[in-house]
Amino acid sequence: MLALPRGGVPVGAEVAAALGCPLDIIVVRKLGVPWQPELAMGAIGENGARVIEDDIVATARVSTDQLAAVELRERRELAARVASLRAGRERTSLAGKIAVIVDDGIATGATARVACAVARQLGAAAVIVAVPVAPPGMVTVPGSDDLVCVATPSPFIAVGVHYRDFSPPGDAEVTRLLSSFHA
């Protein structure tokens, strides 16, 4: 079980506890359109993984320099988050294993796609994405072998609309949840 910090960790912890399996993380960062940061024009992940949503970059008229500036800032944040959230814990080996990637939901799918790329780079034999909510019609995530989704409501506005409380857990809570699986 691999959760995407931060919102995916509480979801992943519940699923991992129910299934009696280990929990680890794959750290990814959304590349938001500079003037609309919640809109993903791509995503980056550990091990240099990168996904760009060319149609969003073109529609939003994001220049190459603007994209590079956002990516540089997010790569720095990615490195800091990996160091902070792993807190010296070794990464779970994925070689030959089934990786189940859990997040709090899917909007554009960019972060899920880049997480799948990281899992594949780390040797996962199969990659399954599991989320509570995604847009209607989303039947797969490129790079995954399967998508498990509890609800695909219509209209779909944003992931956070489908939660009573969508405030992100702090780093201390994320670290506590991860530590409970690495005692």
Side-chain angles (χ1 to χ4, degrees), residues 149-172:
C149 182
V150 176
T152 55
S154 182
F156 182 89
I157 299 166
V159 170
V161 170
H162 304 284
Y163 283 81
R164 283 190 197 111
D165 179 4
F166 196 62
S167 52
D171 285 353

Side-chain angles (χ1 to χ4, degrees), residues 83-149:
S84 171
L85 294 175
R86 286 216 183 276
R89 285 185 301 275
E90 290 294 316
R91 176 194 310 277
T92 301
S93 172
L94 299 183
K97 295 181 181 173
I98 297 172
V100 179
I101 297 171
V102 179
D103 201 2
D104 52 14
I106 294 176
T108 66
T111 54
R113 283 177 51 203
V114 81
C116 291
V118 172
R120 296 277 187 205
Q121 288 173 359
L122 295 172
V127 178
I128 299 167
V129 176
V131 294
V133 64
M138 182 159 288
V139 295
T140 189
V141 173
S144 72
D145 295 296
D146 200 3
L147 170 64
V148 177
C149 182

Side-chain angles (χ1 to χ4, degrees), residues 24-108:
D24 201 351
I25 55 173
I26 288 183
V27 183
V28 299
R29 296 289 299 173
K30 175 173 42 179
L31 300 176
V33 171
W35 44 88
Q36 192 176 354
E38 285 305 309
L39 177 59
M41 61 180 169
I44 57 170
E46 299 176 76
N47 294 357
R50 179 181 190 254
V51 168
I52 300 298
E53 302 288 351
D54 293 324
D55 57 333
I56 293 175
V57 170
T59 301
R61 298 182 183 203
V62 177
S63 72
T64 302
D65 288 345
Q66 290 168 323
L67 176 59
V70 169
E71 184 171 353
L72 178 62
R73 181 183 71 240
E74 293 301 333
R75 285 237 175 255
R76 289 181 182 139
E77 182 62 23
L78 179 99
R81 303 226 10 100
V82 167
S84 171
L85 294 175
R86 286 216 183 276
R89 285 185 301 275
E90 290 294 316
R91 176 194 310 277
T92 301
S93 172
L94 299 183
K97 295 181 181 173
I98 297 172
V100 179
I101 297 171
V102 179
D103 201 2
D104 52 14
I106 294 176
T108 66

